[in-house]
Amino acid sequence: MRNYLQHLECSQCSETYPHEVPQNVCTSCGKPLLARYALKQVAGIWQRDALLARPASLWRYRELLPIGDASDIVSLGETMTPLIHAKRLGARFGLTEVWIKDESRLPTGSFKARGLAMAVSKAKSLGLTALAIPSAGNAATALALYAAAAGMTAHIFMPQDTPAFNKETCRLAGAKVTLIDGLITDAGRIVAKRKAAENWFDVSTLKEPYRVEGKKTMGFELAEQFRWELPDVIIYPTGGGTGIVGMWKGFAELEAIGWIGNKRPRFIAVQAAGCAPIVRAWEEDADEATPWRDAETIASGLRVPQAIGDFLILSAIRKSQGTAIAVTDDAIREAMQVLPKTEGLLTCPEGAATVAALKQLVANGMIEPSERVVLFNTGGYQA
Ligand SMILES: *Cc1c(COP(=O)(O)O)cnc(C)c1O
């Protein structure tokens, strides 16, 4: 298995870093590092048809993934997730092409599996054994399970009111869990303060360069499932924004190797009204977001008051001619029934938020009846 990963590059100042040693953020400007590949070489050796013979897993895109040695892959069976034509849901809104990318089918209960599969595999290749994470819930569960499978120790910091499912699954997997009186940003500060003395590697999203590589495979799958013709609109429940940043990057890479053209979907970032820093920044036409105070929402994955990749999320929204909108918890609660009733699909609150957003976008005339729209159901239903 050849690896085409060349180096890491700062998303702001373009300074480069070697990938053969553990890296977090840019040491000059503190911004996220992104993986850069030898795209010309990849274009020369990799054809779309090669995918046909490969298993339906995110590892089918290995030429554009950061793991060079297959024996380093830590896998729990990261299946390609179904893309379901939601005809009855669409009809309800007068649309013909509404599709659900159902990420609830992934291991660990949510799409956080994509990022943590990549981060833990890369950590294994670098010889790391102790990983630390601040989490709003699902990233903690994913790290706990992937670290367990790799024989590593996971140090987890999350709010004390994180959903019971996440707290229980971390304990079951033997992770070292600390519940804090605060939010994910407070948890992040604790990890940052203690990691050097404790010899932990920080796998906070976008402070660790490879979780975003896992998340970009959502974009690869979408492109492949739609036969290399991207949809018109992507509605995405946005917390740290790693999915938007990842898909945007992934689409650029697919274009660079000649697999897709320059059409991009409009990215619609959906946030909860009780924690909407990206929406506020978007409405103020700002390049960065200011921290949200007293963040509160039933969609725990969206309870992220501050995202280190804020400028990257806002830039992807702007360049794609998308938008950012907030939905209330009441609208999310109401939307929780919509996909189960119309399509037989259970959703997580964050997935339901995209349904609530669709309703709002249609009411505001922001989607044409025949446009192809993809909603991300990012996790499984938890009682
Ligand atoms: C983490 C999470 C999100 C937000 O994902 P980002 O890519 O970090 O914005 C959405 N939904 C669920 C279920 C999550 O766990």
Side-chain angles (χ1 to χ4, degrees):
M1 190 164 140
R2 260 218 63 181
N3 193 222
Y4 299 92
L5 178 62
Q6 288 185 308
H7 55 253
L8 294 163
E9 183 186 74
C10 177
S11 54
Q12 172 120 318
C13 74
S14 300
E15 187 161 331
T16 62
Y17 296 82
H19 67 82
E20 294 85 355
V21 289
Q23 303 283 3
N24 286 115
V25 293
C26 177
T27 50
S28 334
C29 69
K31 298 297 184 191
L33 301 180
L34 297 174
R36 298 299 179 205
Y37 299 83
L39 294 173
K40 279 215 179 84
Q41 262 176 285
V42 173
I45 56 96
W46 201 27
Q47 266 77 54
R48 295 191 310 207
D49 285 354
L51 295 174
L52 298 173
R54 294 187 183 179
S57 133
L58 61 76
W59 300 104
R60 70 203 267 105
Y61 307 110
R62 61 182 181 241
E63 279 83 350
L64 289 178
L65 293 177
I67 311 300
D69 186 340
S71 67
D72 288 326
I73 292 177
V74 181
S75 175
L76 302 178
E78 298 72 31
T79 184
M80 263 178 112
T81 61
L83 181 62
I84 297 163
H85 193 175
K87 292 186 189 139
R88 284 162 51 83
L89 175 72
R92 200 183 244 230
F93 296 113
L95 306 174
T96 54
E97 288 280 335
V98 177
W99 297 73
I100 312 296
K101 182 73 171 151
D102 193 5
E103 297 282 294
S104 72
R105 319 298 175 93
L106 284 160
T108 81
S110 82
F111 75 155
K112 289 294 192 301
R114 291 185 189 268
L116 273 311
M118 211 55 63
V120 171
S121 298
K122 190 69 186 183
K124 185 178 173 191
S125 78
L126 297 171
L128 298 167
T129 55
L131 309 180
I133 199 168
S135 173
N138 286 326
T141 294
L143 176 65
L145 292 165
Y146 279 95
M152 298 178 192
T153 312
H155 299 270
I156 285 164
F157 295 81
M158 58 186 169
Q160 57 200 12
D161 59 349
T162 299
F165 170 83
N166 300 117
K167 291 192 273 196
E168 288 305 313
T169 47
C170 289
R171 287 210 182 88
L172 290 171
K176 310 268 185 246
V177 178
T178 307
L179 299 177
I180 62 146
D181 180 15
L183 296 174
I184 183 174
T185 30
D186 305 301
R189 275 190 278 277
I190 298 174
V191 171
K193 206 158 111 191
R194 293 182 54 188
K195 63 185 180 185
E198 305 275 358
N199 218 2
W200 297 335
F201 182 66
D202 184 352
V203 293
S204 304
T205 196
L206 289 169
K207 289 185 191 167
E208 185 282 342
Y210 303 104
R211 284 175 62 182
V212 67
E213 294 302 288
K215 284 263 187 100
K216 86 181 176 189
T217 62
M218 292 189 290
F220 289 173
E221 287 182 21
L222 259 193
E224 186 179 357
Q225 287 169 319
F226 280 134
R227 295 169 193 273
W228 312 106
E229 183 68 41
L230 297 181
D232 299 299
V233 177
I234 287 177
I235 307 185
Y236 185 85
T238 306
T242 314
I244 290 185
V245 175
M247 283 192 275
W248 183 254
K249 177 177 189 285
F251 293 151
E253 290 171 354
L254 291 183
E255 186 181 355
I257 64 168
W259 289 17
I260 61 169
N262 62 8
K263 175 188 159 179
R264 294 290 180 274
R266 307 199 293 281
F267 273 113
I268 316 276
V270 181
Q271 297 201 297
C275 181
I278 298 298
V279 177
R280 183 171 62 192
W282 175 255
E283 286 169 354
E284 291 170 353
D285 200 24
D287 294 330
E288 291 178 4
T290 48
W292 191 272
R293 268 199 236 162
D294 304 322
E296 209 184 303
T297 168
I298 54 164
S300 55
L302 306 186
R303 202 166 56 149
V304 181
Q306 187 174 22
I308 180 178
D310 55 356
F311 66 109
L312 298 171
I313 305 168
L314 289 161
S315 156
I317 297 171
R318 191 165 289 122
K319 287 183 182 151
S320 74
Q321 299 178 342
T323 190
I325 63 172
V327 295
T328 63
D329 275 11
D330 281 345
I332 293 175
R333 272 191 209 97
E334 194 188 302
M336 283 296 289
Q337 298 190 5
V338 175
L339 272 170
K341 276 187 181 165
T342 58
E343 301 290 340
L345 293 173
L346 292 169
T347 51
C348 57
E350 297 82 358
T354 67
V355 177
L358 178 66
K359 186 176 170 185
Q360 209 172 299
L361 291 161
V362 169
N364 295 338
M366 293 173 76
I367 297 179
E368 298 295 319
S370 65
E371 281 191 311
R372 187 169 265 183
V373 183
V374 176
L375 274 52
F376 273 84
N377 180 39
T378 45
Y381 173 80
Q382 292 151 13

